[in-house]
Amino acid sequence: MSKKTASEEKLDPRVKRTRALIEQAFMALLAEKGFSSITVQDITQRAEVNRATFYAHFADKYALLEAAIQHAFRLALEKRTLNACHFSEANLRALVVTVCEFISQSDAHCKTCDSQFETLVEKEVRRQIQELVELWLEQIGSEIDLKTAATAASWTIYGLALQWSREKGKPRPKAEQFAEQILPLVAVYFKPREVSKTAQG
Amino acid sequence: MSKKTASEEKLDPRVKRTRALIEQAFMALLAEKGFSSITVQDITQRAEVNRATFYAHFADKYALLEAAIQHAFRLALEKRTLNACHFSEANLRALVVTVCEFISQSDAHCKTCDSQFETLVEKEVRRQIQELVELWLEQIGSEIDLKTAATAASWTIYGLALQWSREKGKPRPKAEQFAEQILPLVAVYFKPREVSKTAQG
DNA sequence: TTGCTTATACAACAGTTGTAGATAATGTAA
DNA sequence: TTACATTATCTACAACTGTTGTATAAGCAA
């Protein structure tokens, strides 16, 4: 328990402070206006940090958003103890629910979700989904090529979750119900080596 | 036959000229350097067009890229007569091949494919895949919810094609072979209402 | 042709960006 | 404490952005 996450390793307290200030200011701004209309100036001004200092920590505002999303989604996974666990149908359901809720919370938290914002969310979240799915598949050994299965599964999960989060007309089902519905579409990729015919349907 | 594509409708010849100049200059620049290091100045300078004129046609360089990709991928689809056609396994294979080749040509054509570039390619190409898949599914009537099937199919196709285009280590199979391999993973979404067992393999 | 409309060129503007160099403040270890 | 290393601040800079107003040129219709 002595070693925290890599991102929490012993750091100069000034660095921790500065980053925290920047991230806080950034989050606050996201709640007020769209990502593309947020400038580095806005951020550093609200964070009460010099603008040059910002660039000592992040290449640009896109890097900041990426880091923020990475951190936030990791937390979302940990909330359901999906960080480093084994595969099970329950965990797969939990993963889908996590992604659904993360996307809709992102939308809710941000005043104007521009496409740049959504795009970066997608990229980072899908990356983490794939990472986890690969881990699962390594453990159970997949019927088809591992990389292929992981790719197909992660893209399908993210795509469907995104579609769910955008259903406006009809009142959409709860995330749990939705996960249950699409489970058969995703579970295909987690069949271990034994061929079990089509007796399951 | 009198009506051309919407994008080719009778337009002021000055507009057509200007847009063509801009797009040409842009393509030439893409072959030389990465998208993010291309400035609007670069483009207008090479196109011999005033910078203010650029903004009369595109909101920013991202809008230009989006338009260019949209145009290019539409052409790629037309090349295999996949624009407005019915569903068949052969067409599905052709679609996968088209996507594979489009992605790898994008990579080849561009000096440095930054993530912004790849991201915009992904967004636009996937959108068009989904559009086509929805058309197909409307015709044959899908087993599961149409939107859901179209989403899952389009995301899976793009994800797998992208993965294929990035295989570096081992010499990757031809696009046609690859399409054949992954066909069963995608064809699932195109089963019409009748359940035909697994007698087809 | 004439007259009207629309597109482009040009120049100037305030605001943002990313970087660099010098200085001050802070953390750390002896 | 002192001495050293790291970090943050401050200032200035050239470049790019997106917009505006005006003048010129090109298209088009009578």
Side-chain angles (χ1 to χ4, degrees), chain A residues 160 163 167 170 185, chain B residues 130-154 189-191 193:
Chain A
L160 289 175
Q163 188 215 349
E167 281 181 23
K170 41 191 170 182
L185 297 185
Chain B
Q130 179 149 354
E131 205 175 296
L132 180 56
V133 166
E134 276 179 27
L135 196 72
W136 285 351
L137 286 172
E138 279 168 14
Q139 295 169 356
I140 65 174
S142 75
E143 215 172 7
I144 58 178
D145 175 59
L146 193 147
K147 266 279 182 188
T148 302
T151 301
S154 62
Y189 300 109
F190 297 93
K191 304 238 159 140
R193 300 231 169 67

Side-chain angles (χ1 to χ4, degrees), chain B residues 112-182:
Chain B
T112 310
C113 284
D114 16 60
S115 76
Q116 289 190 322
F117 177 85
E118 288 177 356
T119 275
L120 286 178
V121 170
E122 175 187 319
K123 199 177 149 196
E124 180 58 28
V125 170
R126 219 202 36 72
R127 206 185 56 70
Q128 286 198 43
I129 298 175
Q130 179 149 354
E131 205 175 296
L132 180 56
V133 166
E134 276 179 27
L135 196 72
W136 285 351
L137 286 172
E138 279 168 14
Q139 295 169 356
I140 65 174
S142 75
E143 215 172 7
I144 58 178
D145 175 59
L146 193 147
K147 266 279 182 188
T148 302
T151 301
S154 62
W155 283 77
T156 305
I157 291 173
Y158 192 89
L160 289 174
L162 182 64
Q163 188 215 348
W164 170 83
S165 79
R166 291 204 173 138
E167 280 181 24
K168 311 265 166 161
K170 39 191 171 183
R172 65 181 183 208
K174 293 274 179 203
E176 286 80 6
Q177 290 177 286
F178 174 74
E180 196 61 42
Q181 281 173 30
I182 70 161

